[in-house]
Amino acid sequence: MYLSALFHRQTAFITSLPFLLVSKTPQVSALLVSFHFLIHAFLTLSIQSQSFIHHACHQMGLNIIDDFNLKGLNSEGLYRVSGFSDLIEDVKMAFDRDGEKADISVNMYEDINIITGALKLYFRDLPIPLITYDAYPKFIESAKTTDPDEQLEILHEALKLLPPAHCETLRYLMAHLKRVTLHEKKNLMNAENLGIVFGPTLMRAPGLDAMAALNDIRYQRLVVEMLIKNEDILF
């Protein structure tokens, strides 16, 4: 219920932003699709986990609690484990075609990693990354800084460089990933592991040569790790 209400509230915020009323560029359209998929995938992820794990536990004669969010978050290797690539493409195509009406339920995809894989694919395919090229150097600067207080200060400045839709989507994603880390004893996904997965997914080096871009991967990981750990302070 809470997530459903949040979906409508967040969607209203994104679609009401002034620059969206003026012009829907390909980047804005792509970001909106990614945002809608983000929320829809989280809702489906919870329902899917409930159905799948309930069935598995029933087969073993075990009782399970009714907190389906907890079950989804407890999935081992969440976001790290890859689903079957062809099915991930199917999910993306279905959502491109049908939007929120796309059936990505457990009836269609039992493997939770297919849904999380499609979500990552959406962010990777954005023509301009969620952490934009303009803001990229400032985010990398924060990762290269050794003083924790200064890191947070630079991250605050970097977030201000993001367009509102990018920042709001990033905020929602980081809040979700923070919840994932709260269950790391079960899912084995702490902030560092999620940083490895989402660093290159959410940010790309603007116009750097291959060697420089490769060197930046460790800083990209640190950026996402810091955003997750300090989500309640930064957003």
Side-chain angles (χ1 to χ4, degrees):
M1 193 72 174
Y2 168 76
L3 281 177
S4 181
L6 182 60
F7 167 73
H8 292 294
R9 188 166 68 249
Q10 297 285 18
T11 301
F13 172 84
I14 294 295
T15 54
S16 66
L17 292 172
F19 71 89
L20 291 184
L21 300 178
V22 176
S23 172
K24 284 196 175 183
T25 65
Q27 165 61 8
V28 168
S29 297
L31 183 60
L32 283 172
V33 170
S34 183
F35 177 81
H36 279 84
F37 186 87
L38 172 68
I39 308 296
H40 189 64
F42 288 164
L43 291 171
T44 303
L45 185 63
S46 298
I47 297 169
Q48 182 187 53
S49 300
Q50 181 190 32
S51 301
F52 182 75
I53 296 178
H54 177 81
H55 175 71
C57 290
H58 178 73
Q59 294 299 316
M60 294 182 291
L62 300 176
N63 293 321
I64 59 172
I65 60 176
D66 292 327
D67 186 355
F68 51 79
N69 281 324
L70 181 60
K71 297 182 183 71
L73 293 171
N74 281 343
S75 180
E76 185 174 329
L78 190 63
Y79 289 111
R80 176 181 56 79
V81 177
S82 298
F84 188 53
S85 59
D86 285 352
L87 292 178
I88 289 173
E89 284 289 347
D90 285 348
V91 170
K92 186 176 183 298
M93 289 174 63
F95 206 83
D96 285 341
R97 182 181 63 248
D98 303 324
E100 295 170 45
K101 295 180 180 180
D103 184 4
I104 55 174
S105 67
V106 69
N107 296 325
M108 289 293 293
Y109 307 100
E110 289 189 356
D111 184 1
I112 204 172
N113 301 307
I114 294 169
I115 307 302
T116 56
L119 177 61
K120 290 184 294 182
L121 181 61
Y122 260 104
F123 282 114
R124 280 198 303 271
D125 283 353
L126 285 174
I128 299 175
L130 189 61
I131 294 178
T132 61
Y133 294 127
D134 290 341
Y136 183 90
K138 201 68 176 177
F139 278 96
I140 294 297
E141 180 186 343
S142 70
K144 291 181 177 180
T145 304
T146 56
D147 180 77
D149 292 333
E150 190 175 351
Q151 281 181 337
L152 291 179
E153 184 177 337
I154 297 173
L155 275 177
H156 269 297
E157 295 174 5
L159 288 169
K160 292 177 182 178
L161 298 176
L162 294 176
H166 287 245
C167 192
E168 183 68 4
T169 304
L170 184 64
R171 181 194 69 79
Y172 190 88
L173 177 60
M174 291 303 110
H176 168 69
L177 296 181
K178 182 66 172 285
R179 292 193 65 207
V180 171
T181 67
L182 297 179
H183 301 271
E184 65 174 283
K185 288 185 178 179
K186 295 287 183 68
N187 60 38
L188 307 181
M189 296 302 291
N190 57 24
E192 181 180 355
N193 291 337
L194 289 168
I196 293 171
V197 173
F198 278 95
T201 299
L202 301 180
M203 55 195 306
R204 299 192 295 272
L208 296 183
D209 60 60
M211 187 58 68
L214 187 62
N215 185 58
D216 271 8
I217 289 178
R218 57 175 173 161
Y219 298 120
Q220 293 169 359
R221 172 186 65 79
L222 285 171
V223 165
V224 174
E225 182 180 342
M226 289 188 294
L227 287 171
I228 294 171
K229 287 181 176 179
N230 299 286
E231 167 268 332
D232 55 334
I233 299 172
L234 291 169
F235 294 95

